[in-house]
Amino acid sequence: MLAIAQEFAPRIRRNEPMSRHTSWHVGGPAEIYFTPRDRADLAAFLQSVPADVPVCWVGLGSNLLVRDGGIAGVVVSMHGTFDRVERTAPDKVHGEAGVACARIARQCIKWGLGPAEFFAGIPGTLGGALAMNAGAFGGETWPHVVEVETIDRGGREHRRAAGEYRVSYRHVEPPVPEEWFLAATLRFEARPPEHRSEVAALLERRKATQPIGEWSCGSVFTNPPGDHAARLIEAARLKGLRIGDASVSIKHANFIIIMALPARPTWRA
Ligand SMILES: Cc1cc2nc3c(=O)[nH]c(=O)nc-3n(C[C@H](O)[C@H](O)[C@H](O)COP(=O)(O)OP(=O)(O)OC[C@H]3O[C@@H](n4cnc5c(N)ncnc54)[C@H](O)[C@@H]3O)c2cc1C
């Protein structure tokens, strides 16, 4: 059993099922699941973890597929504690990594800043959005990043400019491995307030075409140049294909949904 200092015990769960922390509702146990109280607690915890123990981060688990065998080592969760978002300048917003993207969208609309509507379409945290360069409705995370604050395995904090990261479609390469996001400063422009209804309309449109509310991780496959993954999956007549509890969504073929219902026969046309 992984030995962890007694002082962290109240914030640790051993063998925590990751199915409780992923939007697919699947995944075996994390050996240690740690929710830090604050930055100092997180730094002290990281310093106490032996160098050969793997450490990984989870946001809202909306883009995570965890194997049934679970996760060896330590999983750090920031949602619920690192969730402050504030306006720090007329055009700047500082968000902690655990804040839900939807809250950033709501706050920006309230402050008359944008374009931040796209954050309303991402059911994850700012930390996850930074790690994935998440985007929706034509907008994405990194064009708004001014700088990030990170923490490394030794519990040391760093401040990095956006330009230090290599960013592409839903992919972000950090300048060094094993450094995780604590917070980010984002830049937006002044916007008229009618954007509130625009967000509602975007979400409604999405609900009409995607299985929102079902257990999924959103779109699974990247669109190839000039085509759509969903169109190709549908053309291959895989819509509705079910293996175990996982099924290609009838509503949107690029979604794999988990159906916690009695199995129907799997079909392949
Ligand atoms: C219904 C649905 C719709 C979706 N629609 C979209 C969409 O339109 N656009 C889109 O881009 N995505 C979409 N997604 C996918 C997902 O919401 C995004 O990828 C999101 O950014 C993941 O954030 P998270 O907090 O849930 O991260 P998690 O899923 O918990 O983690 C994702 C990755 O980020 C890493 N990570 C998390 N926090 C940190 C941190 N603080 N520091 C370093 N690394 C960290 C994790 O280790 C992991 O590698 C959708 C998902 C669902 C379920």
Side-chain angles (χ1 to χ4, degrees), residues 23-24 61-64 215-220 255-256:
S23 57
W24 254 323
S62 62
N63 204 34
L64 276 187
W215 294 353
S216 82
C217 79
S219 290
V220 174
F255 279 61
I256 295 175

Side-chain angles (χ1 to χ4, degrees), residues 70-156:
I71 302 178
V74 163
V75 174
V76 178
S77 160
M78 300 177 95
H79 186 61
T81 44
F82 289 72
D83 59 0
R84 263 190 314 222
V85 57
E86 53 195 355
R87 190 177 189 176
T88 49
D91 63 342
K92 288 201 188 96
V93 169
H94 182 265
E96 291 187 308
V99 70
C101 292
R103 216 176 115 216
I104 301 177
R106 277 199 305 276
Q107 283 298 339
C108 284
I109 290 165
K110 208 166 117 191
W111 291 324
L113 290 173
E117 309 83 79
F118 71 91
F119 271 129
I122 300 162
T125 60
L126 177 57
L130 289 166
M132 305 300 307
N133 189 23
F137 314 137
E140 59 183 14
T141 305
W142 275 83
H144 297 282
V145 177
V146 179
E147 63 171 23
V148 293
E149 289 145 60
T150 61
I151 192 161
D152 64 23
R153 264 204 85 122
R156 288 171 296 267

Side-chain angles (χ1 to χ4, degrees), residues 163-229:
E164 293 182 61
Y165 291 78
R166 286 178 61 185
V167 176
S168 53
Y169 182 75
R170 306 294 173 262
H171 185 73
V172 177
E173 273 176 51
V176 291
E178 297 218 298
E179 218 179 86
W180 299 279
F181 300 109
L182 289 173
T185 299
L186 308 170
R187 182 181 284 124
F188 298 101
E189 293 159 20
R191 277 297 183 91
E194 65 262 16
H195 276 258
R196 201 183 296 264
S197 56
E198 207 176 285
V199 173
L202 286 168
L203 291 176
E204 266 317 300
R205 220 174 309 147
R206 169 180 272 214
K207 221 166 142 189
T209 55
Q210 298 181 2
I212 304 298
E214 306 245 30
W215 294 353
S216 82
C217 79
S219 290
V220 174
F221 300 101
T222 309
N223 290 328
D227 210 334
H228 290 278

